[in-house]
Amino acid sequence: MNIHEYQAKEIFRKYNVPVPQGRVAFTVDEAVEAAKELGGKLWVVKAQIHAGGRGLGGGVKLAKSIDEVREWADKILGMTLVTHQTGPEGKVVHKVYIEEGADIAKEYYLGMLLDRAAEMPVMMASTEGGMEIEKVAAETPEKIVKVNIDPTVGFQGFHGRKLAFGLGLPKEEVGTFIKFASALYKAYMDNDAEMVEINPLIKTGDGKFLALDAKMGFDDNALYRHPDISEMRDLEEEEPTELEAKEHGLSYIKLDGNVGCMVNGAGLAMATMDIIKHEGGEPANFLDVGGGANPETVAKGFEIILKDPNVKAIFVNIFGGIVRCDRVANGILEATKITDVTVPVIVRLDGTNAEEAAEILRNANIENIIAAENLSDGARKAVAAAKGEL
Amino acid sequence: MSILVNKDTKVIVQGFTGKEGTFHASQCIDYGTKIVGGVTPGKGGQEHLGRPVFNTVAEAVETTGATVSMIFVPPAFVADAVMEAAEAGIELAVIITEGAPVRDMMYAKMYATKKGMNTIGPNCPGIITAEECKIGIMPGMIFKKGNVGLISKSGTLTYEASHQVVQEGYGITTAVGIGGDPIIGLSYKQLLPMFEADPETEAIVMIGEIGGDLEIQAAAYIKENISKPVVAFIAGQTAPKGKRMGHAGAIISGGSGTAAEKMAALEAAGVKVVVSPAEIGKAVKEVLSK
C-alpha cells in the first residue's frame, strides 16, 4: 500500500526525521488558510497523487505571495496530472500540500528497501538528488552508496558513516546525517515499510538536513498490525475495478489487450497472458480467481472482465487440482446464469476429472462456450475468437 | 531416490487441528505421507486424525522423532512457528501459509539458518516426492513417478508442468514449490545441486517468474555446476512494470527482474528456455531423448 507525501511526512515527524512545515488542503480556501498559518514569504503548492514526476508534470509550483498560492491551488486542484508514472490517462488531483519554501544548498537522495538477495534492508544514498534513482543506477552506479542493515543489530554508527563519507560530507555534518538516517531506519522498520524514498533530501544554507519529498510504501501483509497506517489508504488513488475484485477475493489487473483471462493461480495467470501473446493476441487482464473457482467467484470474474469494453473473448484456463474440474465446469455454467456473458468463452479445464468436465460443457450445449483441448489449443482459439475468426 | 523427503520421512503438522491443517494433513495421510503427529498449543494430549497432538514442537519431536514440519498456522504466527521448529531441531520446515509479513520472514529465516534448519516457502504448494511423500497442498495424482526434478515459484504452474511431463511419458522424482514471496527458503541455487546429486533425476525443470534475481543467480550456478539438462519457463513476459502480479514478489521494479533478462541469462547458461508455457513437456522430451 502506498500513501501520499503529506502522510509520509506525518510519519517522519513522529520519528524525528526533519521535514519542512506544511499543511494538506482539499480546497483553494483551505490552501490559502494553510499558507497564512505557515507564514513566511515563500510557499510550495504540491499536488498529492501516488506517482512520482509531479514537478515535471506541472503539479509542484512555487508561490511568492498568498495570491499566488490561491492561483496555483486553483489550477492544481482538479487538474489531471500526467507523469511518467501515471500512464497517459493521468491522475486527477484531489488535494494539495502547502509547504514552507526551503533554502536549498545541496540536494541528495536517500532511500531504503528490502534487498532480496541479502534478505535484509538496504539503505541507499546518492549525491544525485532530484534525479530518478533508477536512471542514476543504470547510468552512473558509482554515484550510489549502499549499506545493508542487519535488523538483528539495527542501525549502527558505521552504517551511517559509510553513507555520509560516501556522499563526501564534511566531517562536521556527518553526525547530523547519521541522526537523520537512523531516524529514517526506525520509521521504516517500525511500520513494516516496503520502501521509503526521500528525493530530494536537502541540505539547507545553515547545514541542516530536511526531507523535501517523502514517499512510503508498506507491506500489505503487515497492515493488520498498523491500523493507523491502514487508515491512510486513499481509495481515490486505486483502480476501482481492481479494488472491487479484491473485495471478492480476486486478484485483477487491467491491461490493454482484448483477450480476457480467468485463471487459477498467479503463476498460471501470468503464463496465460504470455501464451496469448505468443499466439498473436493481446491479454486484456491478469485475473487470478484463487484456489476455489466456485460459481460466485467465476461469475464475479466474468462481470469484472466484461467491464472492459475492449474484451472480445474470454479464455478460462483452470488447472484442477484439489478443486475438481467437474465442479469448476458446473461453476462456469452457473456463472453464465448469474452474469450475462456476451462474448465467446473458451474453456480449458485440465487436471483432476478433466474428462467429466468436458462432458458437462458439451452436454450443456451453450453456444458461446467453446471447449479447448489443452493450453495451446485454448490460447489459439481465444486469440482467433477475439479477432472474430472463430 | 529423490531429494529432501521420501517414504520414510516423519512429518508433523503445526496448526494441525485448524481447518486447512486438518484438510490437507488428511490428504497427505491418504497419499502415504508419514504424518506422525501435530502441534496445536493448548490441545496437547488430544488425538486428531488418529495422530497425537502436542502443545510444543519440542515435545512432538521428542516423542515422534519427526524431522520435517508442515506449517499451516495463520500468517501472524508464521515466524513464531518457524522459529519454534528450528529451536526444536526440525531439519526442514515447509511453510504453506500465505500472507506472512516480510519483516517476520526476514527474522524467521535468519533464525532458521542459524539453527541449521532448511525452509521451503512461505506461500507455496509444498514439496512432493512422487508416489512416496507429499508435504503440502498439491493434487498428488498429477505427480507420477519418473526422472524429472521440478522447482517452481508458482503452485498451479507446478501442476501444469508436471502434467505436461507425464503426458509426454515421463514422470517426477521430487517437485518443490518454493513460493513467490520476497523472502523465501530453499531456492533454485540450493535445490539444483540436490537434483544434480540425485541419481534418479535425469533432467530438471525450473519455473520462474518476474521479480527479484533468483533465476539470474540460478543461471550462473547452472553454468558452472550442473551437468544435467535443465528446461526453464519464466512467467510474466507480458507483465507491465511496477504492477504486482498476484505474488508479493512478482513485480518488475525499476526495470529489473523482467522475464526477458532472466530468459537471456538462463539461455546463456545452456538452459533450454521455452517461451510458451505449453511447451514445457515437449522440451523435457527433447532434452531427454538427446
Side-chain angles (χ1 to χ4, degrees):
Chain A
M1 184 192 110
N2 293 322
I3 59 173
H4 289 291
E5 173 196 4
Y6 78 93
Q7 295 166 318
K9 284 181 172 171
E10 268 170 42
I11 296 173
F12 280 13
R13 277 189 200 100
K14 212 168 99 190
Y15 282 87
N16 296 317
V17 177
V19 292
Q21 291 299 312
R23 305 263 192 284
V24 67
F26 295 80
T27 64
V28 176
D29 288 342
E30 278 176 27
V32 168
E33 203 50 43
K36 283 180 184 162
E37 271 177 42
L38 288 169
K41 287 180 189 151
L42 190 64
W43 299 268
V44 191
V45 182
K46 304 170 95 173
Q48 299 294 291
I49 57 164
H50 287 184
R54 291 170 299 163
L56 285 174
V60 178
K61 294 290 178 187
L62 213 58
K64 290 184 183 121
S65 67
I66 294 287
D67 282 342
E68 279 186 32
V69 170
R70 183 186 303 280
E71 212 174 286
W72 287 122
D74 188 47
K75 281 215 175 92
I76 294 173
L77 281 167
M79 81 183 278
T80 301
L81 191 51
V82 180
T83 82
H84 68 284
Q85 287 183 3
T86 58
E89 68 279 7
K91 269 185 173 172
V92 179
V93 181
H94 296 283
K95 39 200 155 285
V96 289
Y97 190 55
I98 311 297
E99 196 166 64
E100 62 179 0
D103 163 26
I104 304 172
K106 177 129 184 58
E107 295 186 29
Y108 300 95
Y109 169 95
L110 188 64
M112 230 182 123
L113 49 82
L114 174 74
D115 178 344
R116 286 169 67 168
E119 299 181 333
M120 59 177 80
V122 60
M123 197 179 271
M124 296 176 296
S126 170
T127 48
E128 304 305 286
M131 292 256 302
E132 211 184 312
I133 197 67
E134 286 84 3
K135 217 171 157 191
V136 181
E139 288 165 12
T140 47
E142 71 281 1
K143 287 185 174 165
I144 299 177
V145 204
K146 291 181 187 179
V147 62
N148 281 114
I149 304 163
D150 182 336
T152 55
V153 300
F155 191 93
Q156 299 293 321
F158 76 87
H159 295 126
R161 288 195 295 277
K162 182 173 179 193
L163 296 174
F165 289 118
L167 288 176
L169 297 181
K171 72 173 191 297
E172 57 275 14
E173 286 171 10
V174 170
T176 331
F177 176 83
I178 290 179
K179 227 175 121 188
F180 187 102
S182 161
L184 186 70
Y185 172 80
K186 198 162 164 30
Y188 174 94
M189 288 305 290
D190 279 7
N191 294 294
D192 280 287
E194 194 170 70
M195 67 94 177
V196 54
E197 196 172 68
I198 303 175
N199 196 14
L201 161 72
I202 60 156
K203 190 161 73 185
T204 59
D206 52 358
K208 282 187 192 126
F209 289 96
L210 272 183
L212 205 59
D213 192 13
K215 198 190 259 184
M216 272 185 113
F218 301 89
D219 178 4
D220 286 333
N221 289 347
L223 285 176
Y224 73 91
R225 57 191 175 202
H226 302 290
D228 50 332
I229 287 171
S230 304
E231 264 179 33
M232 292 181 174
R233 167 160 256 144
D234 184 351
L235 297 180
E236 276 173 349
E237 290 292 326
E238 292 178 38
E239 225 280 308
T241 321
E242 290 176 16
L243 216 57
E244 186 188 341
K246 206 188 281 177
E247 278 166 22
H248 292 85
L250 307 172
S251 177
Y252 170 87
I253 291 161
K254 192 185 168 312
L255 303 167
D256 300 327
N258 61 5
V259 183
C261 307
M262 176 151 34
V263 190
N264 64 335
L268 190 59
M270 272 189 271
T272 303
M273 288 157 44
D274 294 345
I275 197 169
I276 284 169
K277 181 98 175 175
H278 185 68
E279 295 295 345
E282 288 290 337
N285 64 279
F286 167 93
L287 177 61
D288 174 10
V289 291
N294 57 44
E296 289 74 29
T297 49
V298 172
K300 196 73 212 172
F302 280 134
E303 202 181 297
I304 284 169
I305 291 172
L306 288 169
K307 279 191 180 174
D308 176 357
N310 293 333
V311 172
K312 297 286 179 280
I314 298 175
F315 181 22
V316 179
N317 182 19
I318 305 279
F319 198 94
I322 285 167
V323 180
R324 303 187 321 257
C325 290
D326 50 332
R327 284 189 50 195
V328 177
N330 281 320
I332 293 168
L333 295 181
E334 279 301 308
T336 56
K337 288 175 198 158
I338 304 172
T339 305
D340 193 20
V341 182
T342 46
V343 300
V345 178
I346 290 76
V347 183
R348 180 259 177 158
L349 289 166
D350 226 327
T352 320
N353 289 6
E355 277 167 26
E356 289 88 332
E359 188 71 32
I360 289 168
L361 291 179
R362 247 194 319 271
N363 291 342
N365 208 9
I366 299 177
E367 193 191 348
N368 60 348
I369 292 189
I370 301 150
E373 277 166 38
N374 53 41
L375 184 52
S376 45
D377 181 50
R380 228 170 278 141
K381 282 180 174 159
V383 170
K387 288 179 180 161
E389 293 167 1
L390 193 73
Chain B
M1 285 294 287
S2 56
I3 67 163
L4 289 164
V5 299
N6 59 36
K7 61 184 192 320
D8 300 318
T9 306
K10 288 181 181 171
V11 184
I12 54 161
V13 183
Q14 285 174 265
F16 191 30
T17 56
K19 190 177 152 224
E20 295 283 308
T22 301
F23 177 74
H24 290 292
S26 65
Q27 296 260 328
C28 291
I29 291 168
D30 289 348
Y31 193 76
T33 309
K34 271 197 179 154
I35 304 276
V36 293
V39 177
T40 298
K43 292 196 175 172
Q46 297 182 10
E47 198 173 271
H48 185 63
L49 306 177
R51 270 82 178 160
V53 183
F54 301 91
N55 282 324
T56 66
V57 179
E59 274 177 87
V61 167
E62 201 179 310
T63 313
T64 64
T67 55
V68 175
S69 178
M70 173 164 72
I71 298 180
F72 277 102
V73 303
F77 308 109
V78 166
D80 184 7
V82 171
M83 291 191 267
E84 185 185 357
E87 182 69 35
I90 287 286
E91 291 166 17
L92 172 68
V94 182
I95 313 156
I96 308 299
T97 309
E98 176 180 358
V102 171
R103 190 177 71 187
D104 292 8
M105 286 318 301
M106 193 163 65
Y107 286 117
K109 188 171 177 197
M110 280 179 182
Y111 192 72
T113 306
K114 192 171 146 187
K115 291 282 172 183
M117 180 179 80
N118 281 322
T119 53
I120 292 175
N123 190 12
C124 76
I127 175 169
I128 183 166
T129 288
E131 295 166 22
E132 289 191 33
C133 175
K134 158 180 135 139
I135 304 172
I137 59 174
M138 61 288 266
M141 68 290 263
I142 290 163
F143 299 85
K144 297 270 179 288
K145 207 171 188 53
N147 52 5
V148 178
L150 181 52
I151 313 169
S152 169
K153 273 186 177 177
S154 140
T156 37
L157 262 181
T158 312
Y159 317 156
E160 177 75 49
S162 175
H163 180 68
Q164 288 182 25
V165 167
V166 169
Q167 281 194 324
E168 294 293 339
Y170 299 93
I172 301 295
T173 48
T174 302
V176 191
I178 60 175
D181 273 13
I183 290 189
I184 59 169
L186 292 176
S187 171
Y188 307 109
K189 212 174 139 181
Q190 292 87 40
L191 293 163
L192 284 163
M194 297 183 197
F195 280 124
E196 175 78 10
D198 174 35
E200 260 178 29
T201 301
E202 287 173 24
I204 304 162
V205 172
M206 72 176 257
I207 312 275
E209 62 188 27
I210 54 165
D213 72 340
L214 293 176
E215 294 85 351
I216 307 269
Q217 290 178 32
Y221 186 85
I222 290 167
K223 199 170 184 178
E224 298 298 323
N225 305 288
I226 301 295
S227 64
K228 294 178 181 177
V230 181
V231 169
F233 171 73
I234 306 292
Q237 298 161 40
T238 46
K241 270 188 193 177
K243 282 276 189 182
R244 187 158 275 127
M245 309 304 281
H247 290 154
I251 182 165
I252 300 170
S253 34
S256 82
T258 62
E261 67 182 288
K262 293 180 180 195
M263 290 163 77
L266 288 163
E267 226 150 54
V271 172
K272 169 97 188 148
V273 179
V274 295
V275 177
S276 159
E279 306 289 322
I280 300 167
K282 277 183 207 133
V284 166
K285 185 176 186 176
E286 199 185 310
V287 299
L288 278 177
S289 47
K290 255 183 202 167

